[in-house]
Amino acid sequence: MPFILPELIGLIGFITIWQLVAIQYSSIILPSPLETLVALQSLATTNQLTMAVLTTSFDAISGFTIATVIGSILGIIAGIKPFISRAIRPLITALQGVPPIAWIVIALLWFGTGNSTAIFTVTVAILPIIFIGAVEGVRNINSQLLEMANVLKMPVKILLVDLYYPHLLSSLFPSIASGLGLAWRVAIMSELLSSETGIGAEMNIARINLDTAEVMAWVLVAVVLILISEYLVIRPIRRLLTPWNREWGSRGVGE
């Protein structure tokens, strides 16, 4: 209980402020938390909620996985080879500078509507984050430890497990956590603008129908997915793979 107490206090405070503000406006402007929950319950009684969550999960996780694999491999190579790092940097900077909305427009021209647009947009939005984390992980390895390992002619297995692995994961996991949270947001935005299925598409339909309570219900679903990915996926995996860094488990992604 003490571990989740700050989160509970923050959640209760947010809901309280939401309720107080909702009292001042009509439901079409800002529905109350209760009205939002009623709309969410209505969605849960049909396959609409399940199908939308599955579609968005597929888009976000697929794009995130592709970006993580490519970004990690390129980042590790770039961290080891400075020349390659300098060659790739302009491309990574360009990817960072282009807003996701621009990639959605390009993806629509290339792939049309559907899952491909969302997956592509998530991939190009997340890849720079993973790449930079992998580069920093390799470069943060203590050069004196590397020299000592070379002098002692340590086996490659020991080098990978006891030297490269801890440094790489310590820098890469915060990037992975940030990237996964961003993946949900980019996937939903892509679906809103380019798809007929998924949470984003459902939000767009609710917006057209001026059903603000349903829009807020979908926002709530998106928030729950992000929280699940951080607290039930990223943090347990982090604690399992990096047991030397226990303090991370009690801190937020951006802290």
Side-chain angles (χ1 to χ4, degrees), residues 67 95-96 98 100 103 120-129 182 186:
L95 290 178
Q96 283 184 300
V98 178
W103 291 117
F120 172 82
T121 307
V122 171
T123 300
V124 295
I126 305 305
L127 194 147
I129 300 175
L182 180 60
V186 173

Side-chain angles (χ1 to χ4, degrees), residues 30 47 53 60 64 76 99 101 114 130 139 148 152 179 203 222 227 249:
L30 181 63
N47 291 329
V53 169
F64 171 77
I76 292 172
I101 186 67
I130 304 299
R139 289 183 176 177
M148 184 182 299
L152 297 176
M203 289 177 64
L227 292 176

Side-chain angles (χ1 to χ4, degrees), residues 55-68 115 119-120 122-123:
T55 300
T56 301
S57 298
F58 175 78
D59 294 341
I61 295 174
S62 297
F64 171 77
T65 302
I66 295 171
T68 299
N115 298 94
I119 293 172
F120 172 82
V122 171
T123 300

